[in-house]
Amino acid sequence: MYELKVDGMTCGGCAASVKRALQLLDSNAHVDVDLPSKTVKVETTAQLDAVKNAVEDAGYEVLSAA
């Protein structure tokens, strides 16, 4: 599981965009977006770099990832 701090998410639509981008990368991914803390938790078989790229390609900045 990866935990990312993502900047730029401000509403449910943003959360849905991030979730959609990650599920396009891995259709079996489990994605949990917490808007107040700007945290995205992702359970996926994809590599961390691919996860970060998917979020950034959706228009959001990944501040940190672990």
Side-chain angles (χ1 to χ4, degrees):
M1 177 182 290
Y2 303 120
E3 185 169 322
L4 294 78
K5 281 287 199 180
V6 179
D7 194 34
M9 296 187 304
T10 58
C11 65
C14 296
S17 292
V18 168
K19 187 172 184 173
R20 187 169 40 254
L22 291 169
Q23 289 179 329
L24 283 172
L25 176 66
D26 174 6
S27 61
N28 294 318
H30 177 73
V31 182
D32 181 36
V33 178
D34 182 20
L35 283 174
S37 68
K38 298 183 187 269
T39 302
V40 178
K41 293 181 181 178
V42 187
E43 190 172 327
T44 180
T45 57
Q47 297 296 318
L48 180 56
D49 284 341
V51 170
K52 288 170 34 179
N53 287 339
V55 173
E56 290 176 348
D57 288 348
Y60 302 94
E61 182 181 1
V62 177
L63 301 176
S64 65

